[in-house]
């Protein structure tokens, strides 16, 4: 569960990147985070994960405040950043093992998980190579595997599908579903509206730092009294602002 | 030509733009930085005046036999050697490993245009080196010899052009190495080995030339020239930089015709070298630089043995330290600037001795000193000083936050406290530096028969030194890390934090070392004072890091 209460953030004196944000992301659901470029998605996610501190408001993950008990809160989630270019000089296997060390995963458990994950993501043959030799999609996969290896209860993913091939993207969606069904939380941003429509239990639409809509796609249709596609509705909603 | 000028401008703007942290600054920060510049400037002034004073002294001594021109030769030689050695690192970083290469290669530019622009940038950076060596020599000599307007004109041109020859040497050496190591699947490994071999060749070559030049004269000839006066020695006293000799002659007799002639030789030699450099560049550069960022990869399943070896649980601090050290070794720019540098200093100290034909005599004397108990106190002080110097100049701790660059956000979302992260970074610097200093002391022990107890004391003192420089370094980097870089070069070389921390370390260490030298204490008191003083200092620095340092880390915004 993620509780965001009245959170604001501005990078400079002009305007707010995120403006009085209020949403609660419950357990057992997949929440999609939508909005045009520069709407404030990454900024929100960075505040949830403790990368940025909010100017005002509070954020709790599984009931633990990220500002008051940062270490405890950070143990609750796994995070996939929007840019997977990190630790390029480490080998894939070294990166996964390093992540497992950080999150204190036991030796036996990590072996089993790395084995399974690399099989499912078809990365077995490249684990011994440096990440700098990976393609964009492979880098994305190794970062996702780095999160899954410590099996956090809350998943926070910033545009995780970018660059993934159809098979891996299908696999990730399937895993998100499994995770939510087991009573845990998935929160991810995306620009692909079909994905949002198909996999998300609920969507949050943000524009210019403010939440425009938070609820199911079905409810949105009922509210607007149309049977238009999510794409149409999204465009109209963000246009009218 | 216009492409060359445009490219040079862009490279300069990119490089100089932000030697400090982030782009926009508040007034308070600007003031802080102005003060920092002032601090750097003031702490360097004594060095400047020291070189001026030395020049004056040597000038006076040599003018008695009318060979004062040798001062210039010496000044030029030291400048050129320094530029050549640092140039080897610089060129390989800027010409081959800097991140902009991948953006430049697709542009319709000739190799000579890229090389010319990069060469010019390197040249401009070298003026900073010259400020502290060549400038005071030129000023002192000018005042002493009252050469007038012609001297000033020659001196200015020499100042601007002197680095060209040593940089060309460094560049050609690198181009050849890079061209012929850019092969096969393990080219990254090849590169590093090639780099080390190049360094050894450069040093060896220089030593041989020195010997050859110096031995080539019969004593009688030498004597005759000496008596002759009239700066006759200037013309024969040159090594691998023949153009320096011409320049020195021009500057010793600026009003005369022979100045003009010799200056012509100087200019001609320099121009010919530039032409050779650009011509070779057309042939070698692209073949050496293309694929420089490729990483070798095996693309095969790990054997179960490799798998078992890699997938094991390690305590997080240890795991973090190993990660830091791996990155230092595997990133070519970090390897060259942080790791190699760490082991190269002893070689730098030895070159002047080895270059001198009577060097082995000098070695014997130094060995005698090292193994003599009478000097044990002073030797311990010197060992401590060298440890400070080596670990302060490798900049591992002082760039440990900056090196994270745009990926600093990783450090903020992982559940590892800032205390632990700081200590892991400090310890990775401590370990690498200690390997450097300890191996140096062991070599001194074996080669120079330094007594065992003295080696042990030196190593113990060295631990204190290395902790001290690492604490200072990371604290300074935490204050204003330079995260906004697009290539690794900027994180370590064009990072002001490493300069400040170097100077702060050397300054504080000098305050504690000088009294020990002045009072000529014997070895045990020296040891006791160093250890107790630095236990205290390090303890305070540790506390500072764990309180203020942690807050600074938390405040860094990604
Ligand atoms: N480091 C920064 N410094 C200053 N302003 C920033 C910074 N990062 C983002 N912004 C601004 O904050 C606003 C929100 O940006 P954010 O990155 O959160 O958008 P986003 O919704 O993730 O967009 P995208 O879909 O393009 O990823 C934008 O106006 C952006 O210009
Ligand atoms: Mg974004």
């Amino acid at each position: 569960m993620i509780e965001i209460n009245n959170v604001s953030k501005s990078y400079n004196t002009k305007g707010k990147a995120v403006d009085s944000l209020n949403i609660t992301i419950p357990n057992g659901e997949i929440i999609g985070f939508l909005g045009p470029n520069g709407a404030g998605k990454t900024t929100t996610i960075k505040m949830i994960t403790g990368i940025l501190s909010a100017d005002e408001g509070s954020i709790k993950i599984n009931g633990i405040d990220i500002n008051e008990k940062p270490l405890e809160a950070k143990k609750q989630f796994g995070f996939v950043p929007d840019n997977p270019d990190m630790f390029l000089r480490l080998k894939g296997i070294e990166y996964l093992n390093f992540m497992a060390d950080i999150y204190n995963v036991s030796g036996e458990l990590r072996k089993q998980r790395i084995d399974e994950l690399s099989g499912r993501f078809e990365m077995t043959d490249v684990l011994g190579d440096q990440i700098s030799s990976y393609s964009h999609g492979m880098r994305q996969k190794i970062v996702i595997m780095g999160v899954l290896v410590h099996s956090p209860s809350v998943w926070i993913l910033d545009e995780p599908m970018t660059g993934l091939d159809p098979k891996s993207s299908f696999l990730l969606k399937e895993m998100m579903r499994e995770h939510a069904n087991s009573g845990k939380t998935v929160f991810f941003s995306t620009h692909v509206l079909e994905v949002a429509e198909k996999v998300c239990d609920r969507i949050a639409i943000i524009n210019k730092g403010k939440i425009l809509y938070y609820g199911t796609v079905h409810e949105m249709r009922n509210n607007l009294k149309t049977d238009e596609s999510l794409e149409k509705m999204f465009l109209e909603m963000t246009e009218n602002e | 030509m216009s492409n060359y000028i445009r490219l040079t401008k862009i490279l300069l703007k990119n490089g100089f733009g932000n030697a400090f942290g982030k782009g926009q600054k508040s007034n308070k920060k600007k003031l802080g930085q102005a003060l920092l510049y002032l601090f750097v400037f003031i702490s360097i002034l004594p060095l400047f005046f020291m070189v001026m004073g030395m020049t004056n002294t040597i000038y006076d001594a040599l003018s008695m036999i009318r060979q004062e021109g040798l001062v210039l030769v010496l000044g030029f030689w030291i400048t050129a050697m320094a530029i050549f050695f640092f140039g080897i690192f610089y060129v390989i970083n800027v010409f081959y490993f800097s991140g902009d290469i991948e953006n430049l290669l697709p542009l319709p530019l000739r190799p000579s245009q890229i090389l010319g622009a990069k060469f010019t940038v390197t040249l401009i950076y070298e003026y900073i080196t010259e400020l502290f060596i060549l400038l005071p020599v030129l000023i002192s000599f000018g005042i002493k010899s009252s050469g007038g307007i012609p001297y000033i004109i020659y001196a200015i041109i020499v100042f601007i052009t002197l680095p060209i020859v040593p940089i060309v040497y460094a560049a050609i050496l690198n181009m050849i190495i890079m061209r012929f190591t850019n092969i096969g699947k393990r080219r990254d490994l090849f590169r590093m080995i090639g780099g080390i071999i190049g360094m050894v060749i450069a040093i060896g070559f220089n030593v041989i030339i020195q010997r050859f030049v110096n031995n080539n004269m019969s004593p009688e000839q030498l004597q005759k020239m000496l008596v002759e006066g009239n700066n006759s020695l200037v013309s024969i006293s040159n090594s691998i930089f023949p153009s320096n000799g011409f320049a020195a002659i021009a500057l010793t007799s600026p009003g005369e015709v022979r100045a003009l002639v010799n200056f012509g030789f100087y200019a001609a030699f320099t121009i010919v070298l530039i032409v050779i450099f650009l011509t070779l560049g057309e042939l070698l550069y692209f073949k050496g630089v293309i694929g420089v960022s490729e990483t070798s990869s095996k693309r095969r399943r790990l054997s179960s043995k490799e798998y078992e070896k890699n997938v094991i649980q390690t305590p997080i601090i240890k795991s973090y330290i190993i990660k830091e050290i791996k990155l230092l070794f595997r990133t070519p720019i970090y390897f060259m600037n942080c790791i190699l540098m760490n082991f190269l200093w002893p070689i730098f100290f030895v070159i002047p001795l080895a270059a001198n034909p009577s060097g082995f005599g000098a070695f014997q004397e130094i060995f005698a000193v090292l193994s003599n108990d009478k000097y044990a106190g002073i030797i311990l002080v010197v060992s401590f000083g060298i440890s400070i110097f080596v670990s302060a100049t490798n900049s591992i701790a002082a760039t440990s936050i900056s090196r994270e660059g745009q990926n600093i956000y990783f450090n903020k979302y992982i559940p590892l406290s800032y205390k632990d992260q700081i200590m892991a970074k400090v310890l990775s610097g401590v370990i690498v530096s200690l390997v450097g200093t300890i191996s140096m002391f062991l070599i001194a022990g074996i080669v120079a028969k330094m007594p065992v107890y003295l080696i042990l004391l030196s190593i113990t003192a060295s631990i204190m030194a290395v902790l001290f420089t690492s604490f200072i370094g990371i604290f300074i980097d935490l204050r204003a890390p330079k995260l906004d870089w697009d290539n690794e070069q900027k994180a370590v070389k064009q990072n002001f934090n490493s300069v400040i921390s170097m100077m702060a370390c050397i300054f504080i260490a000098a305050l504690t070392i000088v009294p020990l030298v002045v009072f000529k204490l014997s070895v045990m008191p020296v040891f006791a004072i160093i250890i107790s003083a630095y236990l205290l200092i390090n303890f305070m620095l540790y506390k500072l890091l764990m309180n203020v340092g942690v807050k600074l880390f938390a405040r860094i915004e990604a």
Side-chain angles (χ1 to χ4, degrees):
Chain A
M1 185 157 85
I2 308 174
E3 298 156 87
I4 304 176
N5 288 315
N6 216 7
V7 163
S8 297
K9 172 81 190 175
S10 55
Y11 285 103
N12 40 42
T13 43
K14 288 173 247 122
K16 290 180 174 173
V18 170
D19 194 355
S20 326
L21 207 67
N22 271 303
I23 40 176
T24 298
I25 293 147
N27 288 335
E29 287 192 10
I30 302 177
I31 306 308
F33 198 28
L34 312 179
N37 291 135
K41 300 182 294 296
T42 299
T43 307
T44 306
I45 289 177
K46 280 182 171 174
M47 287 189 289
I48 300 175
T49 51
I51 294 169
L52 289 176
S53 58
D55 295 341
E56 49 188 280
S58 74
I59 296 172
K60 285 183 184 163
I61 300 148
N62 287 346
I64 305 166
D65 192 297
I66 184 81
N67 278 321
E68 282 161 16
K69 288 189 184 157
L71 287 188
E72 280 308 302
K74 286 172 186 176
K75 283 179 189 154
Q76 305 301 315
F77 64 81
F79 171 50
V80 175
D82 56 353
N83 176 4
D85 297 332
M86 49 185 192
F87 298 112
L88 298 185
R89 305 273 172 190
L90 289 187
K91 294 174 184 167
I93 189 81
E94 292 171 338
Y95 172 71
L96 296 180
N97 198 51
F98 179 56
M99 291 301 281
D101 280 336
I102 291 180
Y103 290 88
N104 203 11
V105 182
S106 78
E108 273 316 303
L109 197 55
R110 72 176 73 179
K111 258 181 209 148
Q112 182 196 324
R113 283 187 187 149
I114 293 175
D115 228 13
E116 188 203 320
L117 286 170
S118 53
R120 285 180 85 173
F121 280 105
E122 300 186 324
M123 294 281 282
T124 318
D125 289 349
V126 300
L127 282 186
D129 294 327
Q130 284 186 21
I131 298 178
S132 57
S133 73
Y134 290 7
S135 71
H136 180 85
M138 288 155 80
R139 291 177 191 185
Q140 189 77 26
K141 287 197 231 175
I142 200 83
V143 172
I144 294 173
M145 288 162 69
V147 165
L148 301 182
V149 80
H150 62 90
S151 177
S153 84
V154 177
W155 292 4
I156 301 171
L157 323 166
D158 200 355
E159 299 188 32
M161 316 288 180
T162 321
L164 291 188
D165 58 24
K167 187 169 175 218
S168 314
S169 146
F170 178 79
L171 178 64
L172 181 62
K173 283 181 267 182
E174 215 176 47
M175 292 172 114
M176 289 182 356
R177 189 75 266 163
E178 282 168 27
H179 193 66
N181 287 350
S182 71
K184 315 247 178 69
T185 311
V186 178
F187 182 58
F188 75 105
S189 76
T190 182
H191 287 297
V192 190
L193 298 176
E194 286 132 41
V195 170
E197 196 163 6
K198 286 212 187 86
V199 291
C200 295
D201 297 304
R202 276 192 255 194
I203 55 168
I205 298 179
I206 185 173
N207 194 17
K208 296 183 182 147
K210 288 203 165 96
I211 293 286
L212 298 184
Y213 177 77
Y214 181 43
T216 64
V217 178
H218 186 72
E219 283 167 6
M220 182 153 85
R221 263 195 208 109
N222 284 349
N223 282 350
L224 296 173
K225 298 194 175 64
T226 63
D227 35 62
E228 284 171 334
S229 67
L230 177 59
E231 186 174 29
K232 261 277 183 54
M233 292 190 286
F234 176 84
L235 289 176
E236 273 167 24
M237 194 177 272
T238 51
E239 204 54 28
N240 289 341
E241 273 299 293
Chain B
M1 201 63 183
S2 62
N3 271 346
Y4 153 74
I5 292 170
R6 239 173 275 151
L7 188 56
T8 309
K9 272 191 197 151
I10 292 171
L11 291 182
L12 275 179
K13 218 160 121 194
N14 231 341
F16 277 126
N18 44 4
F20 295 109
K22 290 227 175 90
Q24 315 120 327
K25 290 264 156 56
S26 64
N27 278 336
K28 206 174 128 205
K29 276 212 167 148
K30 272 188 197 145
L31 181 72
Q33 256 146 40
L35 285 177
L36 269 181
Y37 271 124
L38 196 69
F39 166 73
V40 173
F41 181 72
I42 291 174
S43 45
I44 277 170
L45 269 187
L47 179 69
F48 189 89
F49 287 117
M50 209 174 78
V51 177
M52 275 185 79
M54 263 157 48
T55 311
N56 282 339
T57 315
I58 304 176
Y59 185 100
D60 289 339
L62 286 172
S63 65
M64 285 191 270
I65 50 170
R66 292 200 300 131
Q67 298 287 3
E68 64 277 2
L70 283 179
V71 165
L72 285 180
V73 173
L74 187 68
F76 289 177
W77 186 75
I78 294 174
T79 310
M81 280 314 278
I83 290 177
F84 175 60
F85 276 112
F86 291 113
I88 292 178
F89 285 90
Y90 221 95
V91 165
I92 203 159
N93 286 337
V94 172
F95 287 33
Y96 287 91
F97 290 119
S98 89
D100 57 4
I101 300 284
E102 296 221 320
N103 301 330
L104 292 178
L105 285 179
L107 301 178
L109 295 168
R110 298 189 62 77
S112 52
Q113 285 168 336
I114 299 181
L115 283 175
K118 286 191 170 265
F119 187 90
T120 313
V121 175
T122 314
L123 181 64
I124 291 172
Y125 276 117
E126 293 300 352
Y127 293 148
I128 300 170
T129 319
E130 279 195 317
L131 281 184
F132 308 113
I133 319 176
L134 189 60
L135 190 64
V137 173
L138 285 175
I139 292 177
S140 291
F141 192 91
I143 296 171
K144 281 272 180 190
S145 66
S146 36
I149 302 288
Y151 177 87
I152 295 174
I153 295 172
Y154 285 134
I156 291 174
I157 303 178
V158 166
F159 184 87
I160 295 173
T161 52
L162 189 96
I164 293 179
V165 174
I167 301 176
V168 167
Y169 284 175
I172 291 180
L173 185 71
N174 271 319
M175 287 197 306
I176 293 173
I177 291 171
M178 295 307 279
R179 168 64 187 88
F180 295 104
T181 53
N182 197 10
I183 40 168
K185 291 276 172 287
R186 302 293 329 252
R187 58 180 84 183
D188 34 1
L189 183 73
F190 261 164
R191 281 270 149 65
M192 295 208 176
I193 296 172
I196 296 170
I197 292 174
M199 219 79 74
V200 173
I201 291 178
I203 294 166
F205 184 62
N206 192 46
V207 169
I208 291 165
I209 294 270
Q210 288 292 313
R211 292 238 174 124
F212 177 72
V213 171
N214 289 338
N215 286 343
N216 216 10
M217 279 265 154
S218 68
E220 297 82 49
Q221 264 178 305
L222 208 66
Q223 198 130 44
K224 193 169 142 255
M225 295 193 86
L226 198 71
V227 185
E228 205 176 297
N230 197 24
N231 284 319
S232 53
L233 283 180
V234 171
S235 56
I236 57 137
S237 47
N238 257 290
S239 52
I240 53 171
F241 308 109
S243 54
N244 287 355
F246 299 130
I249 294 174
L251 284 171
T252 48
S253 48
E256 298 167 26
V257 179
R258 74 168 179 153
L260 211 56
V261 173
N262 275 286
F263 202 76
F265 286 138
Y266 170 79
F269 186 84
T270 306
I271 291 169
V272 166
L273 269 189
I274 293 177
V275 172
I276 293 177
F277 162 66
L278 291 177
T279 317
L280 274 178
E282 289 279 341
L283 292 173
L284 300 175
Y285 183 57
F286 276 179
K287 290 208 178 83
V289 78
I290 288 173
V292 83
S293 65
E294 283 171 27
T295 323
S296 64
S297 54
K298 299 192 285 282
R299 294 290 186 260
R300 64 166 179 81
R301 193 175 289 252
L302 291 168
S303 70
S304 59
K305 217 166 116 202
E306 288 167 313
Y307 190 77
E308 291 289 324
K309 213 185 95 211
N310 273 296
V311 186
I312 38 163
Q313 185 166 17
T314 320
I316 176 58
I317 300 265
K318 186 175 160 202
S319 180
Y320 201 104
I321 294 173
I322 294 173
K323 179 218 91 183
E324 288 281 309
I325 294 179
K326 271 183 188 156
L327 295 184
L328 282 171
F329 270 86
R330 289 183 190 168
T331 313
I333 288 184
Y334 299 160
F335 178 76
M336 265 174 282
N337 292 297
C338 302
I339 305 288
L340 256 193
M341 264 298 168
N342 200 34
F343 296 98
L344 266 187
W345 284 116
I347 300 179
F348 281 138
F349 293 133
V350 169
I351 296 165
L353 293 170
N356 189 328
S358 56
F360 281 98
F363 271 131
Q364 297 303 340
E365 280 162 36
I366 290 180
F367 293 172
V369 170
L370 277 177
S371 53
N372 187 334
D373 275 349
K374 210 173 84 189
Y375 300 109
I378 197 89
I379 292 171
L380 185 59
V381 175
V382 172
S383 314
F384 182 73
I386 291 178
S387 301
I388 294 267
F389 186 76
V390 169
S391 58
T393 46
N394 70 24
S395 306
I396 295 177
T399 59
S400 59
I401 309 290
S402 297
R403 288 199 308 268
E404 300 285 345
Q406 302 285 311
N407 285 339
I408 187 79
Y409 66 82
F410 179 83
N411 305 64
K412 315 222 69 172
Y413 77 74
I414 52 172
L416 182 61
S417 70
Y418 296 133
K419 281 184 186 177
D420 288 350
Q421 296 195 38
I422 290 176
M423 279 321 284
K425 282 173 180 293
V426 165
L427 289 177
S428 60
V430 166
I431 290 169
V432 176
S433 305
L434 270 185
V435 172
T437 54
I438 290 179
S439 53
M440 197 158 69
F441 295 135
L442 290 182
I443 291 172
I446 295 164
V447 178
K449 306 199 174 51
M450 193 165 148
V452 174
Y453 81 94
L454 199 50
I455 296 177
L456 290 179
L457 294 186
S458 296
I459 290 176
T460 317
S462 166
I463 295 174
M464 286 294 139
V466 163
L467 273 172
F468 166 71
T469 57
S470 302
F471 283 150
I472 295 260
I474 198 165
F475 186 74
I476 286 174
D477 203 25
L478 276 168
R479 250 190 59 263
K482 188 177 170 188
L483 301 167
D484 214 5
W485 45 264
D486 49 9
N487 76 67
E488 291 131 350
Q489 156 92 7
K490 289 184 187 163
V492 286
K493 283 240 90 173
Q494 282 146 259
N495 188 344
F496 214 59
N497 290 341
S498 63
V499 182
I500 306 227
S501 116
M502 223 180 282
M503 298 215 301
C505 291
I506 292 172
F507 181 74
I508 300 175
L511 284 185
T512 48
I513 286 177
V514 169
L516 293 178
V517 178
V518 171
F519 292 117
K520 294 205 175 66
L521 297 177
S522 63
V523 65
M524 275 343 242
V526 166
F527 183 70
I529 292 174
I530 289 181
I531 297 296
S532 47
Y534 278 82
L535 265 179
L536 186 69
I537 295 177
N538 285 340
F539 179 74
M540 291 191 307
L541 285 173
Y542 173 78
K543 282 288 168 198
L544 181 74
L545 271 180
M546 291 300 111
N547 292 297
V548 184
V550 164
K551 290 204 185 88
L552 288 172
F553 205 152
R555 229 176 47 200
I556 297 169
E557 295 246 297

